[in-house]
Amino acid sequence: MKGSGLFCAVVWVFCGLLSAQAPEIAFDGNIDFLKLPANIHLGEAAGVATNSKGNIFVYTRSGESGVMGASRFFTYGGSRLFEFDPAGKYLREIGTGVYGFLFAQSVRIDAQDNIWAVDRGSNNIIKFDPSGRFLQVLSRKPESVNPTGAAGGGEGRGGGGRGRGGVPGQGVQGDSFNRPTDISWDAQGNMFVSDAYTNARIVKLDKTGRFVKTWGAKGSDPGQFDMPNSVAVDARGNVYVADLGNKRIQVFDNDGTFKTQIANVGAPWAICVSPGAHQYLYSSNSNQPDALDNGEIYKMELDGTVLGKFGTAGKQAKEFGTANEIDCRNPNTLYIGEVTNWRVQKVTLRGAR
């Protein structure tokens, strides 16, 4: 086993050299394109996504929180969902005061332009139609949620990080999430949810929201995770998981069978697969919120071949502050949700140098 460990160490060093030598992609960064009303401000821009019209949706950690209930108490508020037109003009707020908005994590738009808000505090994933009307909720918000998102009364109903057999991170069967982070879909509409901050797994649901299966647990072996922070699905139904703590992207088939891993792009915080005939994979080696290290975003082929990288951690335009979500509907025009800079940055790629 010592030889195996040495081999892994050599692979990691080699992969690090590959990512360090990736060509720099020339790009422009616009941090002022969103035009908010004078009385509205962004907080931590955890989620950003676009729809088929080019409208931009931002799920942000801002607003006021409160408590409601009688015999049972629930917190609510603390996150808001905004919509802007393609030029950045403010259009509206969606889901004002909704029960499950507590601690924004991400927002995604499906093939029908429905809006899905992933909330790490309430454990809910909430679906709105394009007009903003509530349609569906996945998982259940537990009683006595505290501001960190951990449920009171013993880890909540998402499994407490343990399955029925006591395996850490395996969770429980069904759509009982414990601090979920992301959602993606295949061509048939099946949903894939990364359930990450207490559990360490991927949950597959059918297009109606009915539970199909779950895979993963805490660990570093293939098929195990240490903070699966983001998930994306390509046109063939392959599932890409940003295994943040293990500094790799794991790739699975549609049923959760491990295929390969990409381990040369730092610690993937947010990933995105672009649509179209030629799909690309983007991954952010985001800085931790208390540091300004790394921060670059990689552009890759789906097989992990690095085409280039751009950006670094920082506070200025063309720098990123803990990129938490990437929208890549247009592979050359990206939107980056930044947690520590309280903004969304519009990135226009101009080619590799």
Side-chain angles (χ1 to χ4, degrees), residues 16-339:
L17 289 173
L18 284 178
S19 61
Q21 295 169 358
E24 293 288 335
I25 299 175
F27 74 105
D28 297 316
N30 188 340
I31 60 175
D32 298 317
F33 73 102
L34 293 182
K35 307 303 179 185
L36 285 154
N39 62 335
I40 296 179
H41 307 278
L42 290 186
E44 296 181 340
V48 61
T50 59
N51 67 9
S52 63
K53 298 178 181 178
N55 286 0
I56 304 154
F57 299 81
V58 180
Y59 194 29
T60 178
R61 299 167 187 167
S62 60
E64 298 179 356
S65 62
V67 178
M68 62 184 296
S71 59
R72 296 184 299 167
F73 291 89
F74 305 89
T75 53
Y76 70 97
S79 291
R80 304 175 75 176
L81 178 59
F82 301 128
E83 182 179 0
F84 303 82
D85 73 9
K89 178 183 176 182
Y90 176 84
L91 296 178
R92 59 174 174 163
E93 182 172 357
I94 298 168
T96 304
V98 74
Y99 174 68
F101 279 11
L102 181 60
F103 192 79
Q105 178 62 30
S106 60
V107 62
R108 296 290 190 184
I109 310 298
D110 67 19
Q112 292 74 44
D113 274 350
N114 297 306
I115 307 150
W116 297 74
V118 180
D119 196 283
R120 200 174 92 204
S122 68
N123 297 334
N124 291 149
I125 300 178
I126 304 162
K127 178 183 180 181
F128 302 91
D129 71 12
S131 72
R133 177 182 289 274
F134 166 79
L135 290 180
Q136 186 179 24
V137 61
L138 302 177
S139 193
R140 182 176 184 273
K141 179 178 175 180
E143 294 85 355
S144 301
V145 178
N146 67 38
T148 66
E155 302 287 352
R157 300 179 182 272
R162 293 181 179 270
R164 296 183 187 278
V167 179
Q170 201 170 65
V172 297
Q173 301 294 300
D175 68 334
S176 296
F177 309 134
N178 202 326
R179 306 175 75 186
T181 53
D182 204 358
I183 186 171
S184 191
W185 301 266
D186 64 15
Q188 290 70 45
N190 294 309
M191 311 175 204
F192 298 85
V193 175
S194 52
D195 193 16
Y197 268 78
T198 302
N199 293 321
R201 63 176 183 158
I202 300 298
V203 179
K204 180 178 180 179
L205 311 166
D206 71 14
K207 64 181 180 181
T208 70
R210 187 179 295 273
F211 175 78
V212 176
K213 69 183 303 180
T214 180
W215 73 86
K218 293 276 189 183
S220 57
D221 290 338
Q224 295 180 331
F225 305 107
D226 182 4
M227 190 73 71
N229 207 50
S230 186
V231 63
V233 182
D234 68 18
R236 296 184 177 183
N238 295 312
V239 182
Y240 300 74
V241 181
D243 190 2
L244 174 62
N246 287 321
K247 297 184 177 180
R248 64 187 179 184
I249 299 170
Q250 294 197 63
V251 186
F252 303 87
D253 70 13
N254 203 258
D255 291 319
T257 301
F258 176 81
K259 296 183 71 173
T260 188
Q261 68 179 26
I262 302 165
N264 61 340
V265 288
W269 196 293
I271 60 173
C272 184
V273 171
S274 65
H278 189 152
Q279 295 186 288
Y280 297 100
L281 172 63
Y282 298 86
S283 179
S284 176
N285 183 23
S286 301
N287 60 297
Q288 292 290 333
D290 58 353
L292 288 178
D293 301 320
N294 306 313
E296 73 278 5
I297 297 175
Y298 291 89
K299 179 179 181 179
M300 294 172 277
E301 300 287 2
L302 295 184
D303 65 3
T305 301
V306 175
L307 301 175
K309 63 180 180 178
F310 58 93
T312 187
K315 304 291 186 181
Q316 305 304 310
K318 303 179 68 172
E319 298 176 339
F320 306 115
T322 312
N324 195 67
E325 188 164 29
I326 302 170
D327 177 88
C328 62
R329 182 181 291 269
N330 180 332
N332 291 312
T333 303
L334 311 179
Y335 295 92
I336 315 297
E338 302 180 41
V339 169

